Amino acid sequence: MNDDTGIDPAAAPSGTGCADCDASGGWWFHLRRCASCGHVGCCDSSPGQHATGHYRSTGHPLVQSFEPGEDWFWDYAAEEVRASGPALAPPSSHPADQPSPGPADRVPADWARALRG
């Protein structure tokens, strides 16, 4: 791990979906990947807001978007977007054929009403 940034480029993602939503039977809108340990959590628009919960419980400040075609980072400590950063261990996103929101079999019909601001 790079102690200056908290980023571990070798940390593989924990899976293809939000680890916490998968454990609880929930669903997500978009995914974020912890740059320190690889934990995949859901974004703050998702009902569970698990990426932020991971930051609060671990202190790991940086996440990278885990959406296809996106490579920006969010710094929770500084509350700012970082346009780029080092390449992290593959894969860099969930599978392109995985729907958003997802997973498809757990997303309610009125999912848009459940999104958070």
Side-chain angles (χ1 to χ4, degrees):
M1 178 180 301
N2 180 334
D3 291 330
D4 294 335
T5 64
I7 295 174
D8 182 355
S14 60
T16 60
C18 174
D20 303 291
C21 287
D22 282 342
S24 67
W27 62 277
W28 56 82
F29 185 48
H30 289 135
L31 299 171
R32 309 293 179 240
R33 171 190 181 174
C34 177
S36 295
C37 70
H39 179 271
V40 176
C42 55
C43 71
D44 283 352
S45 294
S46 301
Q49 300 180 330
H50 291 120
T52 296
H54 178 75
Y55 162 65
R56 289 183 180 140
S57 68
T58 64
H60 296 165
L62 298 171
V63 293
Q64 185 178 38
S65 175
F66 201 56
E67 294 298 317
E70 297 181 1
D71 60 2
W72 55 266
F73 287 79
W74 173 256
D75 184 333
Y76 284 104
E79 297 185 3
E80 67 183 19
V81 172
R82 295 186 181 184
S84 64
L88 301 179
S92 61
S93 72
H94 65 75
D97 63 352
Q98 180 176 306
S100 179
D105 62 335
R106 295 197 308 247
V107 178
D110 64 344
W111 65 268
R113 291 180 355 125
L115 294 180
R116 296 176 172 247

